[in-house]
Structures are given as C-alpha cells and as structure tokens.
Amino acid sequence: MKILVINSGSSSIKYQLLDMDTENILVSGLVERIGEEKAVLTSKINPGNETEKIIKIQTAIADHKSGMKKVVSLLVDKDNGVISNTSEIRGVGHRVVHGGEFFHEPAPLTDKVIKGIEANVPLAPLHNPANLDGIHVARELFPAAQQVAVFDTAFHQSMPPHAFLYAIPYKLYEQDRIRRYGFHGTSHKFVAGECARHLDRPLEQCNLITIHLGNGCSMAAVKEGRSVDTSLGMTPLEGLIMGTRSGDIDPALHAILHRSRGMNIEEIDAMLNRQSGLKGLCGMNDMRDIHAARRNGDKMAQLAFDMFVYRIKKYIGQYFAVLGRVDALVFTAGIGENDSETRRAVLSGLKALHIIIDSRANEKSYVDWMRISDSKSRVEVLVIRTNEELEIARQTLKTLT
Ligand code: AMP
C-alpha cells in the first residue's frame, strides 16, 4: 500500500512516497522557493539505492498548488514515474506543527479537524497556515486518498498538568491556553519506539530520555512509553540552546532589554529566535563550523559548545529525577546522529547516574542505529537516526479506515 507524506512549509513542500508493505521510500523530493521565479523541484527516485535517480527542475512556481501539480506529474511520468495513477495512493499523511490541546492522536482530515487546525493558528502563526495550504491542495489533487493530519505536538499531550503548566495566573491557561506544548513529537515518538525494539522490550515498559539535537533541539522524558515532560514550551524557544534560539532565559530579560535599550517586543522576539543560541554566542550555528573554529583556537566557539553541552547535561539530570529509573538515553537528529564529539562531551562525567560511554563504539559509523554505552553502563545509550516521514506514514496507515 502506498502512502504519501507531505510536509508543507511557507515556501516549500517536502514529500515522500512510501510503499508501506516494505516501508521502502519510492520517491523523496522537495519543492523550494515557491512563489519565486526560480523555484526548484528536486525528486529522488529510489533514494539511497544503487538505482537512485535524481531529477531537478528549475522553473517559476507560483503557489503550493502549482508546486504539488508538478510533483504529481513526476510521480505519474511515463519514463520516470513510480505510479500510473494517483488513485494508487491510499493515504496522504500531513505533518502539522501545532495540534494544541485538541489533538492527542493523528486525525483523519475532516472539515471539523481542519477547523481545529485553523483554531491553532495563533499558537503557530507561521507553520499551521503553511500546513493547511498543503492539506487543501492534497485534498484536491488526491481525491481518492484518505488525508490524515499527524501533529508535532501530539506525543507530548500525555504530559501531566504539573509538567505542562507555567506558574503564571491560571486564568491565562483557562482563557488563552498558555502552557507548554512541546514539539518534535513525531521524532521523539519514532526514536522511542525504535529504542524499545532494539532493547527488545515493549515500549510501555521503557523509561527513556530522548535527545533530539538538530538545528532545533529538544529533549523528552518518556515514562512507560509516554512523554511526561519535554524541553520545548508554548513555542519552540524554550529549553536547550539551539542553532539560533536562546532556549531557557530569565523571562525578566524582556523588561530589562526594553527599559535599558528601548527594544520593542518584536525586536526582542526576533533576537531570541534568530540571533541567539550558538549563533548569538559565536556567530556560527552549524556544529561542524563550530568544531572547526574550536580546533583553530576560537574561544567563543569553545564557549558556545561548552554551554550547549552543559544545558543538555542539566536536562539529563532533571529528567533522571522526573523518571526515577532510566533504561536508555537516545541521541538523534543532525547533531545527535552525526557528531560523536558532542555525544562524548554530553556523556562525560555521568558515572554517578550509571551512564558510561564506550568511546570506541561512539566513533563508529552505522546505518540506522548503534549502541554507544559500555557494557558496565547500567543505562543503555543508543544513537538512532530519526525518520519523521516514516513515523508519519506509519501513523497515517494506522489511521486509515
Ligand atoms: P537537522 O535540523 O536535524 O537537519 O540538523 C541540522 C544540524 O545538524 C546542522 O545545523 C549541523 O549543526 C548538525 N550536523 C549535521 N551533520 C553534522 C556532523 N556531521 N557533525 C556535526 N554536526 C552536524
């Protein structure tokens, strides 16, 4: 059975067509710079296989609908297509960033669900409208398929109130739904499930700390398979230090910056989201550049790295206390999957928590996952490549009626 996964952004559409009998990716692609003269559609047929074929088209693409139409014509193309008709696609899974408190599970896209996503636009003003664009277009272009929304916030809806509430007047939660929601839920859910499989234990019996370190970074405390706390908050700004986002700060900084520098709320918001984090500290937000600079003696790059690692360690300590017993730590996403140096720094000095790294295993290359804990470590440490598209496809498949 074929499932199409769509991640629709403000000027881009990422997509994957999967054969769910084998979980193989038939096509993965990206439409970039929608709305510009020189939009680019890149399509990879049989990605990662010996038979991989890449098609790149540069052309003006006015909107999401024309972009998706081009994708469809490539999917059914006589020479390079992988399906003969769009009706071969049984389900379309849409990544939706904010499900608010309405959505704890993937939802078949009825008009009521679309209204629910619209109602959450104030919580994700940049993301949800772009996700809705993709949904409207896909409903039109794949009328035979069932459309399903998979929410980035849903996995964290199992958090208890003492973890998701902020200590501010309660009426702000009651009236405006101000609370922690958390994000990267699809990734945390995927790696938690894979980790349980590799530990050969039901997920419901696993207590895990999942560490997603990409351009955006977050951690989750997973108790008996369910998220009970996470580091991103009402928005994707709280928690760990990220590429350009500050993570945790004293909320009084807003008032201080306003009074001392006359900065307005938009400027402070932009600064914390786009000019802070690793970039704000050392001018670079790609961890590879930061390592190269550290090796050349750049003190600010070293400080930024030390702060990044320190914050993760603090959250590991917190989540240990929250969970009581931890079976495994899981590293994932761009930095977590590829950067042995960050993993080594995060895991150093954690013997008191019964976490001991196998330094040699940590340096090895791997395909989907590897274990990097020493045999003496009571807590297992795994590195697992996240696969949000596959998780969305799996959840879509489960939701089909
Ligand atoms: P993601 O958001 O998961 O795609 O992760 C992107 C980030 O991963 C980049 O900004 C880099 O900082 C980081 N990254 C990717 N590959 C590597 C690598 N080989 N070593 C260190 N960091 C990496």
Side-chain angles (χ1 to χ4, degrees):
M1 183 188 300
K2 296 187 181 75
I3 302 274
L4 180 68
V5 175
I6 294 181
N7 180 356
S8 174
S10 56
S11 64
S12 68
I13 304 169
K14 264 196 226 164
Y15 63 95
Q16 266 189 19
L17 181 66
L18 296 104
D19 178 348
M20 292 310 285
D21 298 329
T22 57
E23 293 196 337
N24 277 343
I25 305 169
L26 303 174
V27 179
S28 79
L30 174 66
V31 189
E32 294 170 276
R33 299 198 211 128
I34 294 173
E36 291 182 30
E37 275 299 300
K38 282 191 177 163
V40 186
L41 194 176
T42 312
S43 170
K44 290 183 186 169
I45 301 154
N46 292 325
N49 284 342
E50 280 164 19
T51 53
E52 177 178 282
K53 185 168 182 182
I54 301 179
I55 298 170
K56 206 166 181 156
I57 301 170
Q58 199 169 43
T59 176
I61 295 178
D63 50 24
H64 285 71
K65 189 168 174 186
S66 356
M68 209 57 222
K69 273 188 172 171
K70 290 217 164 13
V71 171
V72 171
S73 61
L74 274 186
L75 291 177
V76 300
D77 184 69
K78 256 200 221 113
D79 301 321
N80 294 309
V82 289
I83 51 174
S84 48
N85 195 297
T86 54
S87 60
E88 280 178 45
I89 297 173
R90 274 287 319 279
V92 181
H94 295 268
R95 176 180 185 230
V96 180
V97 167
H98 220 307
E101 291 189 319
F102 297 142
F103 300 111
H104 302 210
E105 300 282 341
L109 273 160
T110 57
D111 290 344
K112 193 171 160 214
V113 168
I114 289 180
K115 284 217 170 70
I117 298 170
E118 282 166 355
N120 285 322
V121 166
L123 295 174
L126 299 179
H127 292 100
N128 274 25
N131 300 153
L132 282 164
D133 280 346
I135 288 168
H136 292 308
V137 169
R139 281 179 120 195
E140 209 176 313
L141 298 183
F142 305 97
Q146 280 188 50
Q147 314 275 331
V148 176
V150 179
F151 299 92
D152 230 22
T153 46
F155 182 56
H156 303 302
Q157 277 298 303
S158 44
M159 282 191 287
H162 61 254
F164 74 64
L165 284 171
Y166 294 117
I168 55 176
Y170 190 68
K171 70 170 188 295
L172 290 172
Y173 167 61
E174 289 178 308
Q175 292 169 8
D176 300 347
R177 294 348 253 176
I178 291 187
R179 51 160 287 179
R180 171 178 294 114
Y181 291 94
F183 299 88
H184 298 147
T186 308
S187 175
H188 286 289
K189 184 174 161 72
F190 177 79
V191 296
E194 291 298 294
C195 178
R197 202 159 64 82
H198 300 313
L199 297 181
D200 205 12
R201 242 186 266 177
L203 180 58
E204 297 70 34
Q205 287 172 22
C206 292
N207 281 8
L208 311 170
I209 299 177
T210 49
I211 310 175
H212 177 113
L213 304 176
N215 207 8
C217 300
S218 67
M219 289 172 56
V222 179
K223 193 176 181 109
E224 293 160 2
R226 290 154 61 86
S227 174
V228 292
D229 205 348
T230 193
S231 60
L232 289 172
M234 168 104 189
T235 76
L237 184 57
E238 199 180 337
L240 302 179
I241 294 173
M242 300 172 233
T244 65
R245 292 177 239 159
S246 64
D248 295 336
I249 52 157
D250 183 337
L253 283 190
H254 286 76
I256 289 175
L257 289 169
H258 174 65
R259 285 190 213 116
S260 65
R261 292 187 162 245
M263 288 172 79
N264 67 34
I265 214 69
E266 298 305 327
E267 288 167 335
I268 297 169
D269 195 43
M271 182 197 81
L272 294 173
N273 275 290
R274 294 203 283 275
Q275 294 139 26
S276 296
L278 295 168
K279 190 170 187 183
L281 289 163
C282 71
M284 291 165 270
N285 60 323
D286 191 306
M287 196 51 91
R288 289 161 288 199
D289 298 335
I290 291 173
H291 288 322
R294 287 171 59 219
R295 281 184 210 109
N296 286 330
D298 184 327
K299 289 206 169 69
M300 288 314 293
Q302 184 62 48
L303 178 63
F305 177 70
D306 292 344
M307 287 173 67
F308 181 81
V309 167
Y310 180 72
R311 184 77 57 88
I312 300 167
K313 274 182 190 253
K314 283 213 298 196
Y315 269 88
I316 291 176
Q318 286 183 28
Y319 288 170
F320 242 87
V322 164
L323 293 170
R325 185 201 84 223
V326 177
D327 300 308
L329 250 57
V330 183
F331 284 90
T332 194
I335 299 170
E337 291 168 17
N338 300 306
D339 188 1
S340 58
E341 220 165 325
T342 295
R343 294 193 303 255
R344 182 159 22 93
V346 167
L347 296 170
S348 75
L350 298 185
K351 269 196 188 143
L353 298 178
H354 306 285
I355 301 171
I356 308 168
I357 186 175
D358 176 340
S359 301
R360 258 207 254 148
N362 184 43
E363 300 299 330
K364 285 192 177 150
S365 54
Y366 65 103
V367 181
D368 295 325
W369 74 284
M370 65 174 175
R371 194 183 309 259
I372 60 166
S373 42
D374 190 272
S375 56
K376 291 194 279 298
S377 184
R378 208 185 290 166
V379 177
E380 308 242 24
V381 186
L382 272 58
V383 181
I384 301 177
R385 291 198 195 281
T386 195
N387 193 336
E388 289 164 271
E389 288 79 10
L390 178 56
E391 182 62 35
I392 291 172
R394 284 178 180 170
Q395 293 192 34
T396 302
L397 186 65
K398 263 199 213 161
T399 310
L400 294 185
T401 48

